[in-house]
Amino acid sequence: MATISASKFNLSRSQNAVLTIEAEKNISYFLTNFNLPGLSIGAVPVANPFKVHNEPGNTLTYEDLEVECIVGENFDNWKDSVDWLKTGSDGFSYRTEPNKKMLRRSGSIVLLTNNGNRFGDIGIYNMFPITIGSISFDMQNAEPTPLTFSMTLSYESYKVNFDANAEI
């Protein structure tokens, strides 16, 4: 039976994460919510004279990465995201420039402990935004709450790294 050392146990909290995207200038997003995307290889049905059975597929597919970001004070991270999304379009319902491609960027989600110490990161490779959600301005709320927006990213792959020696 596994035991948990009280000196090393600390609850992980999803709001302790920062997404940084490598660009001309690095773009940082403080995250309020994100899901580590799932992966799938699927199954291929194979028939023999007695029975159809499944074999593992050979194509690894990743679910989209969905993040909820706090809007920066001057909306800089939101504006940078919108500009990035616009690199894949020229403003028309059809492409007038056939060679125009959306910029793909790499980045990482840095995972922090409750004490603000880095304990891991998720490297995300060749990503690009496919949706940027709306920002809701709620004037009825008595408490000041940060503005947020959601962003869905498609990407080629990701790699999770945890630091076993991190100061928790």
Side-chain angles (χ1 to χ4, degrees), residues 50-87:
F50 304 105
K51 177 182 171 185
V52 174
H53 67 280
N54 289 330
E55 290 290 330
N58 59 4
T59 303
L60 182 63
T61 57
Y62 294 87
E63 293 177 355
D64 291 334
L65 173 63
E66 296 179 9
V67 295
E68 185 80 22
C69 311
I70 296 176
V71 177
E73 184 176 5
N74 296 322
F75 287 70
D76 292 339
N77 58 355
W78 178 81
K79 288 187 285 189
D80 289 339
S81 300
V82 169
D83 290 343
W84 183 18
L85 181 72
K86 286 181 178 180
T87 64

PDB file of all heavy atoms in Angstrom, residues 50-87:
ATOM      1  N   PHE A  50     -13.315 -16.965 -38.527  1.00  0.00           N
ATOM      2  CA  PHE A  50     -14.117 -17.281 -37.356  1.00  0.00           C
ATOM      3  C   PHE A  50     -14.751 -16.063 -36.690  1.00  0.00           C
ATOM      4  O   PHE A  50     -15.817 -16.151 -36.114  1.00  0.00           O
ATOM      5  CB  PHE A  50     -13.262 -18.032 -36.325  1.00  0.00           C
ATOM      6  CG  PHE A  50     -12.637 -19.262 -36.899  1.00  0.00           C
ATOM      7  CD1 PHE A  50     -11.291 -19.286 -37.207  1.00  0.00           C
ATOM      8  CD2 PHE A  50     -13.401 -20.391 -37.164  1.00  0.00           C
ATOM      9  CE1 PHE A  50     -10.708 -20.406 -37.749  1.00  0.00           C
ATOM     10  CE2 PHE A  50     -12.828 -21.522 -37.703  1.00  0.00           C
ATOM     11  CZ  PHE A  50     -11.479 -21.543 -37.997  1.00  0.00           C
ATOM     12  N   LYS A  51     -14.051 -14.918 -36.750  1.00  0.00           N
ATOM     13  CA  LYS A  51     -14.521 -13.781 -35.963  1.00  0.00           C
ATOM     14  C   LYS A  51     -13.859 -12.497 -36.468  1.00  0.00           C
ATOM     15  O   LYS A  51     -12.737 -12.511 -36.960  1.00  0.00           O
ATOM     16  CB  LYS A  51     -14.151 -14.016 -34.495  1.00  0.00           C
ATOM     17  CG  LYS A  51     -14.501 -12.910 -33.566  1.00  0.00           C
ATOM     18  CD  LYS A  51     -14.036 -13.229 -32.160  1.00  0.00           C
ATOM     19  CE  LYS A  51     -14.224 -11.998 -31.309  1.00  0.00           C
ATOM     20  NZ  LYS A  51     -13.711 -12.125 -29.984  1.00  0.00           N
ATOM     21  N   VAL A  52     -14.544 -11.389 -36.304  1.00  0.00           N
ATOM     22  CA  VAL A  52     -13.949 -10.072 -36.554  1.00  0.00           C
ATOM     23  C   VAL A  52     -13.426  -9.566 -35.207  1.00  0.00           C
ATOM     24  O   VAL A  52     -14.147  -9.565 -34.203  1.00  0.00           O
ATOM     25  CB  VAL A  52     -14.998  -9.076 -37.117  1.00  0.00           C
ATOM     26  CG1 VAL A  52     -14.399  -7.693 -37.237  1.00  0.00           C
ATOM     27  CG2 VAL A  52     -15.523  -9.557 -38.455  1.00  0.00           C
ATOM     28  N   HIS A  53     -12.174  -9.198 -35.173  1.00  0.00           N
ATOM     29  CA  HIS A  53     -11.596  -8.661 -33.933  1.00  0.00           C
ATOM     30  C   HIS A  53     -10.886  -7.349 -34.249  1.00  0.00           C
ATOM     31  O   HIS A  53     -10.610  -7.038 -35.409  1.00  0.00           O
ATOM     32  CB  HIS A  53     -10.642  -9.675 -33.286  1.00  0.00           C
ATOM     33  CG  HIS A  53      -9.405  -9.931 -34.086  1.00  0.00           C
ATOM     34  ND1 HIS A  53      -9.385 -10.768 -35.167  1.00  0.00           N
ATOM     35  CD2 HIS A  53      -8.152  -9.427 -33.965  1.00  0.00           C
ATOM     36  CE1 HIS A  53      -8.169 -10.785 -35.681  1.00  0.00           C
ATOM     37  NE2 HIS A  53      -7.403  -9.988 -34.985  1.00  0.00           N
ATOM     38  N   ASN A  54     -10.602  -6.593 -33.219  1.00  0.00           N
ATOM     39  CA  ASN A  54      -9.957  -5.292 -33.390  1.00  0.00           C
ATOM     40  C   ASN A  54      -8.468  -5.370 -33.111  1.00  0.00           C
ATOM     41  O   ASN A  54      -8.033  -6.071 -32.191  1.00  0.00           O
ATOM     42  CB  ASN A  54     -10.580  -4.251 -32.463  1.00  0.00           C
ATOM     43  CG  ASN A  54     -11.966  -3.861 -32.893  1.00  0.00           C
ATOM     44  OD1 ASN A  54     -12.278  -3.891 -34.074  1.00  0.00           O
ATOM     45  ND2 ASN A  54     -12.809  -3.501 -31.949  1.00  0.00           N
ATOM     46  N   GLU A  55      -7.718  -4.645 -33.901  1.00  0.00           N
ATOM     47  CA  GLU A  55      -6.287  -4.468 -33.694  1.00  0.00           C
ATOM     48  C   GLU A  55      -6.042  -2.985 -33.442  1.00  0.00           C
ATOM     49  O   GLU A  55      -6.812  -2.138 -33.897  1.00  0.00           O
ATOM     50  CB  GLU A  55      -5.501  -4.909 -34.942  1.00  0.00           C
ATOM     51  CG  GLU A  55      -5.505  -6.396 -35.191  1.00  0.00           C
ATOM     52  CD  GLU A  55      -4.694  -7.175 -34.167  1.00  0.00           C
ATOM     53  OE1 GLU A  55      -3.712  -6.629 -33.630  1.00  0.00           O
ATOM     54  OE2 GLU A  55      -5.060  -8.330 -33.903  1.00  0.00           O
ATOM     55  N   PRO A  56      -4.953  -2.661 -32.746  1.00  0.00           N
ATOM     56  CA  PRO A  56      -4.666  -1.241 -32.513  1.00  0.00           C
ATOM     57  C   PRO A  56      -4.455  -0.497 -33.828  1.00  0.00           C
ATOM     58  O   PRO A  56      -3.867  -1.034 -34.765  1.00  0.00           O
ATOM     59  CB  PRO A  56      -3.367  -1.259 -31.707  1.00  0.00           C
ATOM     60  CG  PRO A  56      -3.240  -2.639 -31.177  1.00  0.00           C
ATOM     61  CD  PRO A  56      -3.982  -3.534 -32.118  1.00  0.00           C
ATOM     62  N   GLY A  57      -4.956   0.746 -33.867  1.00  0.00           N
ATOM     63  CA  GLY A  57      -4.756   1.584 -35.043  1.00  0.00           C
ATOM     64  C   GLY A  57      -3.307   2.048 -35.124  1.00  0.00           C
ATOM     65  O   GLY A  57      -2.497   1.766 -34.243  1.00  0.00           O
ATOM     66  N   ASN A  58      -2.972   2.776 -36.168  1.00  0.00           N
ATOM     67  CA  ASN A  58      -1.583   3.224 -36.309  1.00  0.00           C
ATOM     68  C   ASN A  58      -1.456   4.737 -36.426  1.00  0.00           C
ATOM     69  O   ASN A  58      -0.383   5.234 -36.696  1.00  0.00           O
ATOM     70  CB  ASN A  58      -0.923   2.545 -37.516  1.00  0.00           C
ATOM     71  CG  ASN A  58      -1.646   2.842 -38.811  1.00  0.00           C
ATOM     72  OD1 ASN A  58      -2.595   3.612 -38.837  1.00  0.00           O
ATOM     73  ND2 ASN A  58      -1.208   2.223 -39.886  1.00  0.00           N
ATOM     74  N   THR A  59      -2.545   5.463 -36.222  1.00  0.00           N
ATOM     75  CA  THR A  59      -2.485   6.912 -36.298  1.00  0.00           C
ATOM     76  C   THR A  59      -2.855   7.508 -34.951  1.00  0.00           C
ATOM     77  O   THR A  59      -3.968   7.312 -34.461  1.00  0.00           O
ATOM     78  CB  THR A  59      -3.456   7.448 -37.375  1.00  0.00           C
ATOM     79  OG1 THR A  59      -3.125   6.841 -38.618  1.00  0.00           O
ATOM     80  CG2 THR A  59      -3.353   8.950 -37.500  1.00  0.00           C
ATOM     81  N   LEU A  60      -1.933   8.217 -34.348  1.00  0.00           N
ATOM     82  CA  LEU A  60      -2.166   8.870 -33.071  1.00  0.00           C
ATOM     83  C   LEU A  60      -2.864  10.201 -33.323  1.00  0.00           C
ATOM     84  O   LEU A  60      -2.390  11.017 -34.114  1.00  0.00           O
ATOM     85  CB  LEU A  60      -0.838   9.111 -32.345  1.00  0.00           C
ATOM     86  CG  LEU A  60      -0.907   9.745 -30.961  1.00  0.00           C
ATOM     87  CD1 LEU A  60      -1.659   8.831 -29.995  1.00  0.00           C
ATOM     88  CD2 LEU A  60       0.499  10.005 -30.440  1.00  0.00           C
ATOM     89  N   THR A  61      -4.004  10.412 -32.687  1.00  0.00           N
ATOM     90  CA  THR A  61      -4.719  11.682 -32.815  1.00  0.00           C
ATOM     91  C   THR A  61      -4.869  12.312 -31.438  1.00  0.00           C
ATOM     92  O   THR A  61      -5.010  11.608 -30.434  1.00  0.00           O
ATOM     93  CB  THR A  61      -6.105  11.501 -33.455  1.00  0.00           C
ATOM     94  OG1 THR A  61      -6.858  10.570 -32.678  1.00  0.00           O
ATOM     95  CG2 THR A  61      -5.997  10.996 -34.878  1.00  0.00           C
ATOM     96  N   TYR A  62      -4.820  13.633 -31.411  1.00  0.00           N
ATOM     97  CA  TYR A  62      -4.930  14.398 -30.173  1.00  0.00           C
ATOM     98  C   TYR A  62      -6.229  15.191 -30.179  1.00  0.00           C
ATOM     99  O   TYR A  62      -6.618  15.734 -31.204  1.00  0.00           O
ATOM    100  CB  TYR A  62      -3.772  15.391 -30.049  1.00  0.00           C
ATOM    101  CG  TYR A  62      -2.415  14.766 -29.883  1.00  0.00           C
ATOM    102  CD1 TYR A  62      -1.653  14.394 -30.982  1.00  0.00           C
ATOM    103  CD2 TYR A  62      -1.886  14.574 -28.619  1.00  0.00           C
ATOM    104  CE1 TYR A  62      -0.399  13.836 -30.825  1.00  0.00           C
ATOM    105  CE2 TYR A  62      -0.622  14.015 -28.451  1.00  0.00           C
ATOM    106  CZ  TYR A  62       0.109  13.647 -29.556  1.00  0.00           C
ATOM    107  OH  TYR A  62       1.355  13.097 -29.405  1.00  0.00           O
ATOM    108  N   GLU A  63      -6.871  15.279 -29.026  1.00  0.00           N
ATOM    109  CA  GLU A  63      -8.020  16.171 -28.885  1.00  0.00           C
ATOM    110  C   GLU A  63      -7.512  17.611 -28.898  1.00  0.00           C
ATOM    111  O   GLU A  63      -6.334  17.870 -28.630  1.00  0.00           O
ATOM    112  CB  GLU A  63      -8.743  15.894 -27.558  1.00  0.00           C
ATOM    113  CG  GLU A  63      -9.407  14.548 -27.493  1.00  0.00           C
ATOM    114  CD  GLU A  63     -10.055  14.295 -26.139  1.00  0.00           C
ATOM    115  OE1 GLU A  63      -9.920  15.124 -25.213  1.00  0.00           O
ATOM    116  OE2 GLU A  63     -10.697  13.247 -26.009  1.00  0.00           O
ATOM    117  N   ASP A  64      -8.390  18.560 -29.185  1.00  0.00           N
ATOM    118  CA  ASP A  64      -8.010  19.972 -29.159  1.00  0.00           C
ATOM    119  C   ASP A  64      -7.715  20.410 -27.731  1.00  0.00           C
ATOM    120  O   ASP A  64      -8.265  19.869 -26.774  1.00  0.00           O
ATOM    121  CB  ASP A  64      -9.132  20.844 -29.727  1.00  0.00           C
ATOM    122  CG  ASP A  64      -9.328  20.639 -31.220  1.00  0.00           C
ATOM    123  OD1 ASP A  64      -8.363  20.244 -31.904  1.00  0.00           O
ATOM    124  OD2 ASP A  64     -10.454  20.861 -31.696  1.00  0.00           O
ATOM    125  N   LEU A  65      -6.847  21.404 -27.603  1.00  0.00           N
ATOM    126  CA  LEU A  65      -6.521  21.988 -26.311  1.00  0.00           C
ATOM    127  C   LEU A  65      -7.432  23.180 -26.093  1.00  0.00           C
ATOM    128  O   LEU A  65      -7.463  24.102 -26.907  1.00  0.00           O
ATOM    129  CB  LEU A  65      -5.053  22.432 -26.288  1.00  0.00           C
ATOM    130  CG  LEU A  65      -4.594  23.222 -25.063  1.00  0.00           C
ATOM    131  CD1 LEU A  65      -4.710  22.384 -23.795  1.00  0.00           C
ATOM    132  CD2 LEU A  65      -3.167  23.712 -25.260  1.00  0.00           C
ATOM    133  N   GLU A  66      -8.194  23.154 -25.012  1.00  0.00           N
ATOM    134  CA  GLU A  66      -9.082  24.259 -24.676  1.00  0.00           C
ATOM    135  C   GLU A  66      -8.591  24.901 -23.390  1.00  0.00           C
ATOM    136  O   GLU A  66      -8.396  24.221 -22.387  1.00  0.00           O
ATOM    137  CB  GLU A  66     -10.515  23.759 -24.520  1.00  0.00           C
ATOM    138  CG  GLU A  66     -11.074  23.196 -25.815  1.00  0.00           C
ATOM    139  CD  GLU A  66     -12.486  22.673 -25.690  1.00  0.00           C
ATOM    140  OE1 GLU A  66     -13.124  22.883 -24.631  1.00  0.00           O
ATOM    141  OE2 GLU A  66     -12.956  22.069 -26.657  1.00  0.00           O
ATOM    142  N   VAL A  67      -8.377  26.217 -23.455  1.00  0.00           N
ATOM    143  CA  VAL A  67      -7.883  26.958 -22.302  1.00  0.00           C
ATOM    144  C   VAL A  67      -8.798  28.137 -22.020  1.00  0.00           C
ATOM    145  O   VAL A  67      -9.409  28.697 -22.921  1.00  0.00           O
ATOM    146  CB  VAL A  67      -6.428  27.447 -22.513  1.00  0.00           C
ATOM    147  CG1 VAL A  67      -5.466  26.285 -22.627  1.00  0.00           C
ATOM    148  CG2 VAL A  67      -6.307  28.349 -23.721  1.00  0.00           C
ATOM    149  N   GLU A  68      -8.890  28.498 -20.760  1.00  0.00           N
ATOM    150  CA  GLU A  68      -9.617  29.692 -20.317  1.00  0.00           C
ATOM    151  C   GLU A  68      -8.560  30.634 -19.757  1.00  0.00           C
ATOM    152  O   GLU A  68      -7.825  30.277 -18.831  1.00  0.00           O
ATOM    153  CB  GLU A  68     -10.644  29.320 -19.246  1.00  0.00           C
ATOM    154  CG  GLU A  68     -11.530  30.442 -18.796  1.00  0.00           C
ATOM    155  CD  GLU A  68     -12.679  30.715 -19.751  1.00  0.00           C
ATOM    156  OE1 GLU A  68     -13.056  29.831 -20.529  1.00  0.00           O
ATOM    157  OE2 GLU A  68     -13.211  31.844 -19.702  1.00  0.00           O
ATOM    158  N   CYS A  69      -8.454  31.827 -20.342  1.00  0.00           N
ATOM    159  CA  CYS A  69      -7.370  32.760 -20.028  1.00  0.00           C
ATOM    160  C   CYS A  69      -7.896  34.018 -19.369  1.00  0.00           C
ATOM    161  O   CYS A  69      -8.966  34.516 -19.716  1.00  0.00           O
ATOM    162  CB  CYS A  69      -6.647  33.172 -21.313  1.00  0.00           C
ATOM    163  SG  CYS A  69      -6.178  31.817 -22.379  1.00  0.00           S
ATOM    164  N   ILE A  70      -7.100  34.566 -18.450  1.00  0.00           N
ATOM    165  CA  ILE A  70      -7.403  35.872 -17.876  1.00  0.00           C
ATOM    166  C   ILE A  70      -6.935  36.934 -18.865  1.00  0.00           C
ATOM    167  O   ILE A  70      -5.813  36.872 -19.371  1.00  0.00           O
ATOM    168  CB  ILE A  70      -6.703  36.048 -16.515  1.00  0.00           C
ATOM    169  CG1 ILE A  70      -7.263  35.026 -15.512  1.00  0.00           C
ATOM    170  CG2 ILE A  70      -6.872  37.476 -15.997  1.00  0.00           C
ATOM    171  CD1 ILE A  70      -6.579  35.034 -14.167  1.00  0.00           C
ATOM    172  N   VAL A  71      -7.805  37.903 -19.149  1.00  0.00           N
ATOM    173  CA  VAL A  71      -7.470  38.981 -20.079  1.00  0.00           C
ATOM    174  C   VAL A  71      -6.473  39.905 -19.395  1.00  0.00           C
ATOM    175  O   VAL A  71      -6.660  40.307 -18.247  1.00  0.00           O
ATOM    176  CB  VAL A  71      -8.737  39.771 -20.481  1.00  0.00           C
ATOM    177  CG1 VAL A  71      -8.386  40.942 -21.380  1.00  0.00           C
ATOM    178  CG2 VAL A  71      -9.735  38.863 -21.157  1.00  0.00           C
ATOM    179  N   GLY A  72      -5.379  40.237 -20.109  1.00  0.00           N
ATOM    180  CA  GLY A  72      -4.379  41.156 -19.570  1.00  0.00           C
ATOM    181  C   GLY A  72      -4.952  42.551 -19.397  1.00  0.00           C
ATOM    182  O   GLY A  72      -5.977  42.916 -19.979  1.00  0.00           O
ATOM    183  N   GLU A  73      -4.265  43.358 -18.605  1.00  0.00           N
ATOM    184  CA  GLU A  73      -4.754  44.688 -18.249  1.00  0.00           C
ATOM    185  C   GLU A  73      -5.085  45.549 -19.472  1.00  0.00           C
ATOM    186  O   GLU A  73      -6.090  46.240 -19.499  1.00  0.00           O
ATOM    187  CB  GLU A  73      -3.715  45.395 -17.384  1.00  0.00           C
ATOM    188  CG  GLU A  73      -4.172  46.745 -16.883  1.00  0.00           C
ATOM    189  CD  GLU A  73      -3.170  47.383 -15.940  1.00  0.00           C
ATOM    190  OE1 GLU A  73      -2.082  46.825 -15.747  1.00  0.00           O
ATOM    191  OE2 GLU A  73      -3.488  48.454 -15.413  1.00  0.00           O
ATOM    192  N   ASN A  74      -4.268  45.513 -20.480  1.00  0.00           N
ATOM    193  CA  ASN A  74      -4.498  46.294 -21.692  1.00  0.00           C
ATOM    194  C   ASN A  74      -5.030  45.435 -22.836  1.00  0.00           C
ATOM    195  O   ASN A  74      -4.911  45.822 -23.997  1.00  0.00           O
ATOM    196  CB  ASN A  74      -3.213  46.999 -22.130  1.00  0.00           C
ATOM    197  CG  ASN A  74      -2.748  48.008 -21.105  1.00  0.00           C
ATOM    198  OD1 ASN A  74      -3.562  48.695 -20.501  1.00  0.00           O
ATOM    199  ND2 ASN A  74      -1.448  48.084 -20.894  1.00  0.00           N
ATOM    200  N   PHE A  75      -5.568  44.260 -22.523  1.00  0.00           N
ATOM    201  CA  PHE A  75      -6.098  43.322 -23.502  1.00  0.00           C
ATOM    202  C   PHE A  75      -5.011  42.828 -24.467  1.00  0.00           C
ATOM    203  O   PHE A  75      -5.320  42.343 -25.542  1.00  0.00           O
ATOM    204  CB  PHE A  75      -7.264  43.935 -24.302  1.00  0.00           C
ATOM    205  CG  PHE A  75      -8.537  44.076 -23.523  1.00  0.00           C
ATOM    206  CD1 PHE A  75      -8.659  45.005 -22.505  1.00  0.00           C
ATOM    207  CD2 PHE A  75      -9.620  43.273 -23.811  1.00  0.00           C
ATOM    208  CE1 PHE A  75      -9.829  45.132 -21.789  1.00  0.00           C
ATOM    209  CE2 PHE A  75     -10.809  43.396 -23.097  1.00  0.00           C
ATOM    210  CZ  PHE A  75     -10.914  44.331 -22.082  1.00  0.00           C
ATOM    211  N   ASP A  76      -3.746  42.962 -24.074  1.00  0.00           N
ATOM    212  CA  ASP A  76      -2.649  42.593 -24.976  1.00  0.00           C
ATOM    213  C   ASP A  76      -2.706  41.135 -25.406  1.00  0.00           C
ATOM    214  O   ASP A  76      -2.561  40.829 -26.589  1.00  0.00           O
ATOM    215  CB  ASP A  76      -1.286  42.883 -24.327  1.00  0.00           C
ATOM    216  CG  ASP A  76      -1.028  44.362 -24.168  1.00  0.00           C
ATOM    217  OD1 ASP A  76      -1.669  45.156 -24.895  1.00  0.00           O
ATOM    218  OD2 ASP A  76      -0.186  44.732 -23.324  1.00  0.00           O
ATOM    219  N   ASN A  77      -2.901  40.212 -24.449  1.00  0.00           N
ATOM    220  CA  ASN A  77      -2.900  38.796 -24.821  1.00  0.00           C
ATOM    221  C   ASN A  77      -4.113  38.451 -25.688  1.00  0.00           C
ATOM    222  O   ASN A  77      -4.011  37.644 -26.606  1.00  0.00           O
ATOM    223  CB  ASN A  77      -2.790  37.886 -23.594  1.00  0.00           C
ATOM    224  CG  ASN A  77      -3.890  38.081 -22.580  1.00  0.00           C
ATOM    225  OD1 ASN A  77      -4.744  38.961 -22.699  1.00  0.00           O
ATOM    226  ND2 ASN A  77      -3.877  37.260 -21.550  1.00  0.00           N
ATOM    227  N   TRP A  78      -5.248  39.073 -25.444  1.00  0.00           N
ATOM    228  CA  TRP A  78      -6.420  38.821 -26.275  1.00  0.00           C
ATOM    229  C   TRP A  78      -6.192  39.370 -27.691  1.00  0.00           C
ATOM    230  O   TRP A  78      -6.458  38.689 -28.674  1.00  0.00           O
ATOM    231  CB  TRP A  78      -7.662  39.461 -25.643  1.00  0.00           C
ATOM    232  CG  TRP A  78      -8.892  39.287 -26.466  1.00  0.00           C
ATOM    233  CD1 TRP A  78      -9.700  38.185 -26.526  1.00  0.00           C
ATOM    234  CD2 TRP A  78      -9.445  40.233 -27.380  1.00  0.00           C
ATOM    235  NE1 TRP A  78     -10.724  38.397 -27.412  1.00  0.00           N
ATOM    236  CE2 TRP A  78     -10.594  39.657 -27.950  1.00  0.00           C
ATOM    237  CE3 TRP A  78      -9.087  41.526 -27.766  1.00  0.00           C
ATOM    238  CZ2 TRP A  78     -11.381  40.314 -28.879  1.00  0.00           C
ATOM    239  CZ3 TRP A  78      -9.866  42.185 -28.692  1.00  0.00           C
ATOM    240  CH2 TRP A  78     -10.995  41.573 -29.240  1.00  0.00           C
ATOM    241  N   LYS A  79      -5.661  40.597 -27.799  1.00  0.00           N
ATOM    242  CA  LYS A  79      -5.390  41.187 -29.114  1.00  0.00           C
ATOM    243  C   LYS A  79      -4.365  40.357 -29.882  1.00  0.00           C
ATOM    244  O   LYS A  79      -4.525  40.130 -31.086  1.00  0.00           O
ATOM    245  CB  LYS A  79      -4.905  42.634 -28.967  1.00  0.00           C
ATOM    246  CG  LYS A  79      -6.006  43.595 -28.540  1.00  0.00           C
ATOM    247  CD  LYS A  79      -5.538  45.038 -28.573  1.00  0.00           C
ATOM    248  CE  LYS A  79      -4.650  45.328 -27.410  1.00  0.00           C
ATOM    249  NZ  LYS A  79      -4.315  46.744 -27.231  1.00  0.00           N
ATOM    250  N   ASP A  80      -3.316  39.885 -29.207  1.00  0.00           N
ATOM    251  CA  ASP A  80      -2.312  39.041 -29.869  1.00  0.00           C
ATOM    252  C   ASP A  80      -2.938  37.748 -30.373  1.00  0.00           C
ATOM    253  O   ASP A  80      -2.596  37.255 -31.450  1.00  0.00           O
ATOM    254  CB  ASP A  80      -1.152  38.736 -28.929  1.00  0.00           C
ATOM    255  CG  ASP A  80      -0.272  39.943 -28.660  1.00  0.00           C
ATOM    256  OD1 ASP A  80      -0.289  40.893 -29.479  1.00  0.00           O
ATOM    257  OD2 ASP A  80       0.439  39.944 -27.644  1.00  0.00           O
ATOM    258  N   SER A  81      -3.865  37.177 -29.606  1.00  0.00           N
ATOM    259  CA  SER A  81      -4.546  35.944 -30.019  1.00  0.00           C
ATOM    260  C   SER A  81      -5.418  36.181 -31.243  1.00  0.00           C
ATOM    261  O   SER A  81      -5.423  35.372 -32.176  1.00  0.00           O
ATOM    262  CB  SER A  81      -5.420  35.409 -28.882  1.00  0.00           C
ATOM    263  OG  SER A  81      -4.646  35.130 -27.753  1.00  0.00           O
ATOM    264  N   VAL A  82      -6.143  37.282 -31.255  1.00  0.00           N
ATOM    265  CA  VAL A  82      -6.996  37.612 -32.395  1.00  0.00           C
ATOM    266  C   VAL A  82      -6.133  37.836 -33.635  1.00  0.00           C
ATOM    267  O   VAL A  82      -6.441  37.340 -34.726  1.00  0.00           O
ATOM    268  CB  VAL A  82      -7.882  38.840 -32.089  1.00  0.00           C
ATOM    269  CG1 VAL A  82      -8.572  39.356 -33.341  1.00  0.00           C
ATOM    270  CG2 VAL A  82      -8.901  38.486 -31.015  1.00  0.00           C
ATOM    271  N   ASP A  83      -5.025  38.560 -33.479  1.00  0.00           N
ATOM    272  CA  ASP A  83      -4.122  38.783 -34.617  1.00  0.00           C
ATOM    273  C   ASP A  83      -3.564  37.464 -35.145  1.00  0.00           C
ATOM    274  O   ASP A  83      -3.443  37.272 -36.350  1.00  0.00           O
ATOM    275  CB  ASP A  83      -2.977  39.717 -34.225  1.00  0.00           C
ATOM    276  CG  ASP A  83      -3.446  41.146 -33.989  1.00  0.00           C
ATOM    277  OD1 ASP A  83      -4.565  41.494 -34.429  1.00  0.00           O
ATOM    278  OD2 ASP A  83      -2.691  41.910 -33.353  1.00  0.00           O
ATOM    279  N   TRP A  84      -3.227  36.556 -34.230  1.00  0.00           N
ATOM    280  CA  TRP A  84      -2.711  35.244 -34.622  1.00  0.00           C
ATOM    281  C   TRP A  84      -3.765  34.470 -35.405  1.00  0.00           C
ATOM    282  O   TRP A  84      -3.492  33.889 -36.442  1.00  0.00           O
ATOM    283  CB  TRP A  84      -2.271  34.496 -33.372  1.00  0.00           C
ATOM    284  CG  TRP A  84      -1.640  33.163 -33.566  1.00  0.00           C
ATOM    285  CD1 TRP A  84      -1.093  32.652 -34.716  1.00  0.00           C
ATOM    286  CD2 TRP A  84      -1.481  32.161 -32.575  1.00  0.00           C
ATOM    287  NE1 TRP A  84      -0.601  31.382 -34.482  1.00  0.00           N
ATOM    288  CE2 TRP A  84      -0.823  31.066 -33.180  1.00  0.00           C
ATOM    289  CE3 TRP A  84      -1.810  32.080 -31.234  1.00  0.00           C
ATOM    290  CZ2 TRP A  84      -0.514  29.913 -32.486  1.00  0.00           C
ATOM    291  CZ3 TRP A  84      -1.496  30.930 -30.538  1.00  0.00           C
ATOM    292  CH2 TRP A  84      -0.844  29.855 -31.166  1.00  0.00           C
ATOM    293  N   LEU A  85      -5.015  34.489 -34.905  1.00  0.00           N
ATOM    294  CA  LEU A  85      -6.098  33.807 -35.597  1.00  0.00           C
ATOM    295  C   LEU A  85      -6.306  34.384 -36.997  1.00  0.00           C
ATOM    296  O   LEU A  85      -6.549  33.657 -37.954  1.00  0.00           O
ATOM    297  CB  LEU A  85      -7.391  33.910 -34.785  1.00  0.00           C
ATOM    298  CG  LEU A  85      -8.619  33.224 -35.359  1.00  0.00           C
ATOM    299  CD1 LEU A  85      -8.486  31.708 -35.232  1.00  0.00           C
ATOM    300  CD2 LEU A  85      -9.873  33.688 -34.656  1.00  0.00           C
ATOM    301  N   LYS A  86      -6.161  35.681 -37.123  1.00  0.00           N
ATOM    302  CA  LYS A  86      -6.379  36.342 -38.411  1.00  0.00           C
ATOM    303  C   LYS A  86      -5.295  36.023 -39.434  1.00  0.00           C
ATOM    304  O   LYS A  86      -5.504  36.254 -40.623  1.00  0.00           O
ATOM    305  CB  LYS A  86      -6.464  37.856 -38.219  1.00  0.00           C
ATOM    306  CG  LYS A  86      -7.754  38.307 -37.587  1.00  0.00           C
ATOM    307  CD  LYS A  86      -7.762  39.817 -37.450  1.00  0.00           C
ATOM    308  CE  LYS A  86      -9.053  40.324 -36.865  1.00  0.00           C
ATOM    309  NZ  LYS A  86      -9.043  41.790 -36.734  1.00  0.00           N
ATOM    310  N   THR A  87      -4.145  35.471 -39.007  1.00  0.00           N
ATOM    311  CA  THR A  87      -3.109  35.127 -39.985  1.00  0.00           C
ATOM    312  C   THR A  87      -3.570  34.018 -40.923  1.00  0.00           C
ATOM    313  O   THR A  87      -3.015  33.844 -41.995  1.00  0.00           O
ATOM    314  CB  THR A  87      -1.779  34.680 -39.329  1.00  0.00           C
ATOM    315  OG1 THR A  87      -1.994  33.469 -38.602  1.00  0.00           O
ATOM    316  CG2 THR A  87      -1.208  35.754 -38.438  1.00  0.00           C
TER     317      THR A  87
END
